[in-house]
Amino acid sequence: MFKALVLNQADGNTTADIRQLETSDLPAGEVLVNIAYSSLNYKDGLAVTGTGKIIRSFPMVPGIDFAGTVAESASERFQPGDHVILTGWGVGEQHWGGYAQQARVKADWLVAMPAGLDARKAMIIGTAGFTAMLCVMALEEAGVKPESGKVLVTGAAGGVGSVAVLLLAQRGYHVVAVTGRPESHAFLTNLGAKEFISRETMSQPARPLETQRWAGAVDVVGGDILARVIAEMNYGGAVAACGLANSFKLNTTVMPFILRNVSLRGVDSVSCPLERRTRAWECLAAELPESAYHDIGQTIALEAVPQAAQDIVAGRIQGRVLVDLSQ
Ligand code: NDP
């Protein structure tokens, strides 16, 4: 028997309860993993609270990422005892996920734990940190370099944003953070942010072309803020857009693209191919300083997930939340 958070639906509302399950309850897959840690991401918040239509079939064990140890494997890629990471692939959405002490998944979905990381560190990074790394890679592939100019990170105090601030600062960028929470300035300064802009300022409607300010930008919020970011990009600048914490809409014009050579790069972590995934995890393992794991993360038990899910949807979470499945 093992413990899991199980979502069900009653009268159109999502319920979340801790249940005891058996290994035989788990869905089909080649690899059985004993999970040590999962994490809380914005999408988990939407799923657990039922705010977004993330989950369409119930009962469902949510949790879009996890790290742990292989217990059984029908795949040649993994042996019992191997340490592994999973993010994305619809796990915790269509396939039972990480808010449980065990999961059974496809071997192709798993990444071998890179040297320098363990399950705890991997889930402090989690889907949010992995996505932040993919955003940094997207900017650099578009030609953005530390000497190109200042880079902007929106939703900076959240999971993706805080790791993006840290990664960019570690690579030598001058990072400007957009946050709606002035009380997060000390946290973000500690991660490497050099300047701040309020969420309110960045939410002001933008003209098609504004004064050029940014060589690169990581946007996790979408909506009017992303529209302003695009209008403020330098000639040849690039924006990595990965989120919709403000809105999934984007009301902009083609002017920055056709007159300033700006590029808008979409970033998806869910179906990211294995080779790129592995590279991103190796960069995370190599680049994040030891202090990051203390500065960015807070740890909660499985029982605390429903409340934390409400908090992340309401924008009350700072940094990353680690879910400890050992108890
Ligand atoms: P968090 O809730 O941890 O961070 C989001 C941050 O956005 C908040 O901390 C807040 O930052 C800011 N924010 C929240 N609400 C609003 C609002 N209404 N208007 C403007 N800013 C707002 O979430 P994550 O970091 O886990 O995820 C961020 C986004 O990225 C989500 O939309 C998520 O779905 C998406 N995402 C996408 C992935 C992909 O594969 N494309 C993978 C992972 C995440 P502050 O307090 O600093 O203002």
Side-chain angles (χ1 to χ4, degrees):
M1 301 288 282
F2 64 91
K3 197 164 68 168
L5 185 74
V6 181
L7 301 184
N8 271 296
Q9 265 208 323
D11 304 327
N13 294 320
T14 301
T15 60
D17 299 293
I18 303 286
R19 296 266 166 81
Q20 292 292 324
L21 301 179
E22 293 185 34
T23 304
S24 59
D25 294 328
L26 290 170
E30 293 132 10
V31 185
L32 178 68
V33 181
N34 288 330
I35 299 176
Y37 293 99
S38 181
S39 82
L40 181 74
N41 297 278
Y42 189 80
K43 196 189 269 180
D44 295 312
L46 296 177
V48 172
T49 57
T51 312
K53 294 235 176 308
I54 302 291
I55 293 173
R56 295 179 189 275
S57 92
F58 296 88
M60 176 60 61
V61 175
I64 64 168
D65 51 24
F66 63 74
T69 308
V70 171
E72 293 171 13
S73 174
S75 159
E76 286 182 357
R77 275 187 66 217
F78 297 104
Q79 309 301 322
D82 287 351
H83 301 292
V84 290
I85 305 172
L86 183 142
T87 67
W89 299 117
V91 170
E93 298 180 61
Q94 295 121 39
H95 185 100
W96 286 12
Y99 292 161
Q101 290 169 317
Q102 286 194 328
R104 198 187 281 117
V105 295
K106 284 191 182 171
D108 285 351
W109 296 345
L110 293 167
V111 172
M113 186 73 69
L117 288 186
D118 55 25
R120 185 182 147 276
K121 287 180 174 176
M123 281 301 109
I124 291 174
I125 298 168
T127 300
F130 170 60
T131 305
M133 189 74 236
L134 294 178
C135 289
V136 173
M137 287 162 64
L139 293 187
E140 295 198 340
E141 285 158 4
V144 181
K145 298 182 182 71
E147 55 273 26
S148 308
K150 295 179 180 180
V151 293
L152 191 72
V153 176
T154 65
V160 178
S162 59
V163 183
V165 168
L166 179 57
L167 287 169
L168 288 163
Q170 289 287 315
R171 288 193 176 193
Y173 287 89
H174 182 111
V175 182
V176 181
V178 179
T179 180
R181 291 182 282 177
E183 65 274 22
S184 296
H185 286 191
F187 167 71
L188 290 163
T189 300
N190 195 31
L191 298 181
K194 291 277 195 301
E195 296 175 51
F196 298 95
I197 300 181
S198 74
R199 188 193 295 178
E200 197 187 353
T201 302
M202 285 306 290
S203 303
Q204 300 305 315
R207 293 171 295 180
L209 294 171
E210 293 282 351
T211 304
Q212 297 183 39
R213 301 172 83 185
W214 319 115
V218 172
D219 179 69
V220 312
V221 302
D224 290 343
I225 293 178
L226 176 56
R228 171 162 282 280
V229 171
I230 292 169
E232 291 183 353
M233 294 310 294
N234 290 355
Y235 189 92
V239 184
C242 73
L244 41 57
N246 176 259
S247 172
F248 68 87
K249 291 189 180 154
L250 177 58
N251 182 12
T252 187
T253 76
V254 298
M255 300 307 244
F257 307 113
I258 65 172
L259 296 181
R260 289 186 180 164
N261 227 30
V262 169
S263 49
L264 179 60
R265 316 262 307 191
V267 173
D268 164 64
S269 67
V270 175
S271 305
C272 175
L274 182 61
E275 186 274 331
R276 192 171 178 79
R277 248 172 220 273
T278 306
R279 192 148 48 88
W281 277 107
E282 281 168 358
C283 289
L284 286 159
E287 292 177 32
L288 286 177
E290 196 58 35
S291 57
Y293 302 104
H294 308 292
D295 295 344
I296 285 191
Q298 52 174 301
T299 308
I300 62 170
L302 191 58
E303 288 73 8
V305 166
Q307 177 59 52
Q310 288 185 24
D311 290 341
I312 199 165
V313 171
R316 291 193 290 262
I317 297 282
Q318 179 175 280
R320 297 277 302 134
V321 178
L322 184 68
V323 180
D324 181 357
L325 290 149
S326 65
Q327 304 130 26

